[in-house]
Amino acid sequence: MKLRPAASAREAALQVIYRVTEEGAFASLALDEVLQASNLEGRDRTLATELAYSAIKAWQTLDWALGLFLKHPLAKLPPWIRCLLRLGGAQLLYLPRIPARAAIYETVELAKKYGHRGTVGLVNGVLRHLERRKDDLPYPDPGSDPAGYLSLRYYHPRWLVEKWLTQFGYAETEALCRADNEPAPMVIRANTLKTTVAGLAARLQDEGATIRPARYAPEGLIVEGLGAVKASPSFREGLFYVQDEGSQLVGHALKPEPGSIVIDASAAPGGKTTHLAQLMADRGTILACDVHPSRLELIQENCRRLGVTCVRAVLADARELGQRYPEVADYLLLDAPCSGLGVLRRRPDARWRKELAGTRELARLQLEILLGARRALKPDGVLVYSTCSLAPEENQEVIRQFLDRAREFSLVSLEPWLPVLPADLEVPARQGWVQYLPQRHGTDGFFIARLKREENRGF
Ligand SMILES: C[S@@+](CC[C@H](N)C(=O)[O-])C[C@H]1O[C@@H](n2cnc3c(N)ncnc32)[C@H](O)[C@@H]1O
């Protein structure tokens, strides 16, 4: 549906909420489109993003809470009115710095533009009721229905909370849900081909940002107040890449020698590829493969911006790499397509798009990729497998099945390769794998395993 240009931050947020919750659009794409069509700038863009993302993250809890004050089901209301209620409700429940009166008034004003007299009154009435009862909502009892309580209280799908309760227990599931709802820090990786970490920090401070070092990743900086990244001169000069710490650690886990041959089996948009190029001082060859042609362009664009020259972008299905490049690579990175359950804090709509069956299907693909790509590695070569998932069936279980079938591989310690290990990861790191968790380590959820092909064992 063609939308009129949004005249305010709240109208922009409303349009994004409509595109995502009513039309199934992806939140980041809908936001870009709506903001581009509007004349909004600076703080209005930030506010629009915050309003839209808060409502989308909490979508199902908002629908439940709003439904408590409606005579008829929310689903029967006109779609724009439903979305207006989500917009107003998100401010009342989750953005306490916005005065309730302003939240209600502004939503009612928008209702005049997107509804009629009856619906204006309804929006006003429902939001006033919600404001009065907001600290006293009838959540399920955590003792008798922990999954029901956590999924509504922290707005995650029930199947996922049930899965995590089995995997992590109650306290840690609650901490994980909370961590997913916090705004994720902006983490960048200094491009050491063009600058140093200290040099970049100084440049960004000159651009008005506040900087602190990342905890685990040596080239990582945590940045606040930079504004639109693409407008930053140091970004345009290729001095950094936006990449969470968990993701940066994957490059260190592989740590290819300068001059070596590396295959990055599923590489787009090239975050880890360009990091590997840095670690190799841009000397040697990286074959950066991906199965989607349009995504190969992203690799090339990132290499150009960062000044990386040792990368060749290759259109290939990772499952066929063993046949295409037999025993070619000294190092093989398999940053597999995955459920992304470790990065829900960065993608407001992602939690509502996943299904339990998805992780099992992905696990099949991940194993096929490992089995199909492994023969591309030379004897004595190193393989790193990583995902941004927390699901054991995509991580430890895939590795276990791989080791059952590929006897020439074994797990090797990650301890020498990860520069700063959190204490709780020391034991698994020695066994060859680590699982970073947002609620424990403050990073995106990342699984990383390092394996070696034994020199004298054939396939
Ligand atoms: C997790 S993303 C990779 C992120 C990338 N390594 C980075 O750090 O920027 C997974 C990638 O796998 C690609 N992909 C999916 N199925 C594939 C296959 N069968 N062969 C190769 N690439 C595949 C997707 O297009 C996607 O770009």
Side-chain angles (χ1 to χ4, degrees):
M1 178 193 222
K2 184 112 177 64
L3 301 173
R4 56 182 127 180
S8 67
R10 282 186 171 78
E11 186 170 8
L14 173 68
Q15 293 183 352
V16 177
I17 296 166
Y18 180 88
R19 297 290 313 275
V20 174
T21 62
E22 301 295 333
E23 294 187 333
F26 283 100
S28 56
L29 299 182
L31 181 74
D32 279 354
E33 271 173 34
V34 166
L35 289 181
Q36 246 172 37
S38 76
N39 287 325
L40 299 180
E41 287 185 14
R43 282 165 57 170
D44 279 336
R45 283 177 168 249
T46 310
L47 178 62
T49 308
E50 188 183 17
L51 293 171
Y53 280 16
S54 302
I56 292 165
K57 261 193 183 178
W59 172 10
Q60 297 200 1
T61 295
L62 284 169
D63 283 11
W64 165 78
L66 292 161
L68 299 170
F69 308 107
L70 283 164
K71 284 203 198 81
H72 302 291
L74 189 75
K76 293 258 161 74
L77 290 182
W80 282 103
I81 300 305
R82 257 198 308 271
C83 292
L84 269 165
L85 288 171
R86 290 172 184 143
L87 171 63
Q91 293 168 72
L92 296 176
L93 295 188
Y94 304 118
L95 297 169
R97 73 178 160 69
I98 298 180
R101 245 187 315 159
I104 296 173
Y105 173 81
E106 297 288 352
T107 313
V108 169
E109 285 302 298
L110 268 180
K112 291 178 187 163
K113 200 162 166 185
Y114 283 81
H116 54 73
R117 256 175 75 187
T119 49
V120 170
L122 178 130
V123 167
N124 189 28
V126 170
L127 291 181
R128 281 182 192 286
H129 274 102
L130 180 61
E131 154 62 6
R132 277 196 291 275
R133 291 282 310 279
K134 68 173 194 266
D135 296 323
D136 174 32
L137 292 173
Y139 292 113
D141 174 53
S144 55
D145 183 8
Y149 170 75
L150 291 175
S151 77
L152 276 178
R153 178 74 182 72
Y154 299 108
Y155 32 100
H156 279 67
R158 186 181 175 103
W159 69 263
L160 186 55
V161 171
E162 283 171 352
K163 180 176 167 58
W164 285 346
L165 281 170
T166 311
Q167 186 180 344
F168 295 115
Y170 185 89
E172 188 136 23
T173 299
E174 183 171 33
L176 173 53
C177 291
R178 274 175 190 266
D180 279 348
N181 294 348
E182 291 292 317
M186 179 184 170
V187 188
I188 61 173
R189 186 190 82 228
N191 177 12
T192 48
L193 295 175
K194 288 193 174 188
T195 183
T196 59
V197 179
L200 175 63
R203 275 289 304 269
L204 290 172
Q205 272 159 349
D206 288 347
E207 289 179 27
T210 311
I211 308 291
R212 65 201 154 89
R215 281 145 297 186
Y216 309 114
E219 306 98 329
L221 290 170
I222 300 174
V223 184
E224 277 174 57
L226 186 63
V229 174
K230 288 188 177 159
S232 149
S234 40
F235 176 84
R236 288 206 296 256
E237 286 170 41
L239 302 189
F240 68 87
Y241 187 90
V242 177
Q243 185 180 30
D244 185 75
E245 281 199 72
S247 173
Q248 293 186 38
L249 293 171
V250 175
H252 287 281
L254 191 66
K255 194 81 189 295
E257 289 285 330
S260 56
I261 300 177
V262 179
I263 295 183
D264 185 348
S266 47
K272 297 182 190 70
T273 306
T274 51
H275 189 201
L276 297 176
Q278 271 176 235
L279 297 171
M280 293 161 67
D282 203 25
R283 297 206 325 265
T285 304
I286 304 178
L287 301 175
C289 310
D290 207 279
V291 80
H292 297 299
S294 61
R295 290 180 61 76
L296 283 187
E297 286 165 28
L298 299 175
I299 303 177
Q300 284 156 338
E301 200 179 300
N302 280 316
C303 287
R304 263 196 303 276
R305 186 177 61 81
L306 296 166
V308 167
T309 62
C310 71
V311 168
R312 257 178 52 208
V314 177
L315 183 63
D317 187 320
R319 289 170 288 194
E320 291 158 13
L321 289 173
Q323 278 174 352
R324 186 156 166 183
Y325 299 113
E327 302 203 346
V328 163
D330 302 296
Y331 299 89
L332 175 59
L333 174 60
L334 222 159
D335 183 40
C338 74
S339 64
L341 289 177
V343 289
L344 296 184
R345 63 184 190 159
R346 295 200 183 270
R347 300 176 190 161
D349 48 337
R351 66 190 69 185
W352 309 120
R353 296 183 187 281
K354 314 275 178 207
E355 296 170 2
L356 184 56
T359 57
R360 292 195 208 108
E361 265 168 47
L362 283 160
R364 252 196 308 278
L365 173 64
Q366 289 152 352
L367 183 61
E368 277 174 24
I369 291 181
L370 270 166
L371 290 169
R374 71 183 155 140
R375 288 168 203 256
L377 203 56
K378 288 180 187 165
D380 226 15
V382 177
L383 162 65
V384 163
Y385 173 80
S386 59
T387 72
C388 56
S389 175
L390 316 174
E393 61 270 32
E394 293 182 79
N395 296 334
Q396 293 91 335
E397 187 54 23
V398 167
I399 293 298
R400 195 190 59 71
Q401 290 185 38
F402 175 66
L403 290 173
D404 272 355
R405 309 237 201 129
R407 297 273 167 186
E408 70 281 14
F409 281 89
S410 55
L411 281 162
V412 289
S413 174
L414 274 165
E415 219 178 14
W417 310 103
L418 296 181
V420 182
L421 260 178
D424 65 325
L425 295 185
E426 282 171 12
V427 172
R430 266 180 237 128
Q431 292 163 359
W433 60 270
V434 282
Q435 172 74 72
Y436 285 87
L437 295 167
Q439 77 276 19
R440 281 195 213 164
H441 309 111
T443 62
D444 287 351
F446 255 89
F447 176 83
I448 310 173
R450 181 177 165 107
L451 301 99
K452 196 157 180 153
R453 182 181 160 189
E454 301 296 332
E455 187 167 10
N456 295 319
R457 269 174 101 161
F459 296 110

